[in-house]
Amino acid sequence: MHWEAAARTDPGLQRSGNEDAHLCARDAGVFGIADGMGGHPAGEVASRLAVQTLARWVSDGHSRRFGAARLQTLLRDTVTRANLVIARQAAENPAESGMGTTLTALALVPRDGVAVLAHVGDSRAYRLRDGTLRQITVDHTWVQQQVDAGQLTESQARVHPFSSILTRALGTSIHVDVDALEVALRPGDLLLLCSDGLTAMLEDDEIRSLLASAAPPAALATRLIDAANARGGVDNITVVLVRILD
Ligand code: CA
């Protein structure tokens, strides 16, 4: 399995800082997005700690050594570790008390032709295959719970005043429930990781049309960010794109 990948981040048009962080370890096939919260600068600290914990796992070499089942467990353990790292730092630094972050982490598993993911929060992973865009992760948000209960539609949830209220985040408690997932891959598939600064501005169908192109991932990433900014860019926008080549 071979792939190409690119990442782009942008503060958007209305925020002075950027509380998003990302990892694009192309050779290792490991990618991640973290969207920090807790106010400037604590949100930036939380998302950076999350991504650093993931980067350390990559540099330890684990991501290359195992099959999908074991890697999924290891990746989930890494996200659990990131939670403790952030919670500990918040406990030791009053200025960072209450900080938290999302983390959506993805590792390609060439030997099994799949990707494994570990996920907490409302940053998302999607797979575009044959013109169909499918959201792989489920948002850990209050509005998603309302959608699941039939109280809100997806479109209502996207613009709801409580749309950014998370039901799970890293760093805000010693315990966190981490979703572990697996997604099948084949040549031509395009994977997208993104923060909610993209999905709050664009409907899934708009994202799908913007990605329906053979352009390199870097060009597609720029196209997504430009489109989110054209809609107002109210939040930081981060995207990671991975295309499976063969
Ligand atoms: Ca955000």
Side-chain angles (χ1 to χ4, degrees):
M1 187 160 85
H2 295 89
W3 56 87
E4 55 182 0
R8 290 277 186 278
T9 189
D10 189 274
L13 301 178
Q14 298 186 25
R15 303 249 171 123
S16 52
N18 191 340
E19 294 184 290
D20 288 355
H22 66 277
L23 176 75
C24 185
R26 198 173 348 206
D27 293 349
V30 179
F31 308 91
I33 288 210
D35 177 353
M37 70 195 99
H40 180 77
E44 289 173 28
V45 173
S47 60
R48 199 174 58 233
L49 286 172
V51 164
Q52 282 172 350
T53 305
L54 183 61
R56 196 163 306 126
W57 181 69
V58 173
S59 60
D60 287 345
H62 295 311
S63 57
R64 284 288 190 167
R65 231 175 270 162
F66 302 102
R70 179 86 180 113
L71 263 185
Q72 191 183 72
T73 303
L74 289 171
L75 193 61
R76 190 180 53 205
D77 291 349
T78 302
V79 174
T80 304
R81 190 175 319 122
N83 179 61
L84 289 173
V85 167
I86 298 161
R88 192 178 304 132
Q89 172 139 342
E92 290 168 357
N93 299 276
E96 293 165 355
S97 167
M99 70 176 172
T101 184
T102 72
L103 180 58
T104 301
L106 181 150
L108 300 174
V109 193
R111 72 170 79 167
D112 295 324
V114 303
V116 293
L117 297 96
H119 158 73
V120 172
D122 68 348
S123 301
R124 291 181 178 175
Y126 289 90
R127 185 189 68 190
L128 179 68
R129 169 181 286 180
D130 297 336
T132 301
L133 185 71
R134 182 166 78 83
Q135 187 179 336
I136 302 164
T137 50
V138 174
D139 294 351
H140 300 138
T141 56
W142 180 83
V143 290
Q144 182 63 46
Q145 291 182 338
Q146 303 310 302
V147 170
D148 294 344
Q151 301 294 315
L152 288 177
T153 65
E154 295 277 358
S155 296
Q156 288 170 332
R158 213 169 56 81
V159 296
H160 196 281
F162 297 162
S163 63
S164 61
I165 304 292
L166 296 184
T167 51
R168 290 193 226 170
L170 295 188
T172 53
S173 160
I174 291 295
H175 301 287
V176 69
D177 202 7
V178 180
D179 285 356
L181 312 158
E182 178 178 317
V183 61
L185 296 176
R186 64 182 191 217
D189 284 351
L190 187 65
L191 295 165
L192 165 67
L193 305 183
C194 60
S195 61
D196 69 337
L198 183 78
T199 48
M201 296 290 99
L202 300 172
E203 301 266 8
D204 283 8
D205 205 46
E206 296 171 309
I207 294 173
R208 185 192 56 74
S209 358
L210 288 162
L211 293 178
S213 151
L220 293 177
T222 301
R223 189 179 294 179
L224 290 176
I225 284 177
D226 289 349
N229 277 331
R231 283 291 166 75
V234 300
D235 195 2
N236 309 141
I237 311 149
T238 304
V239 300
V240 177
L241 282 162
V242 184
R243 180 182 278 128
I244 307 303
L245 298 173
D246 55 45

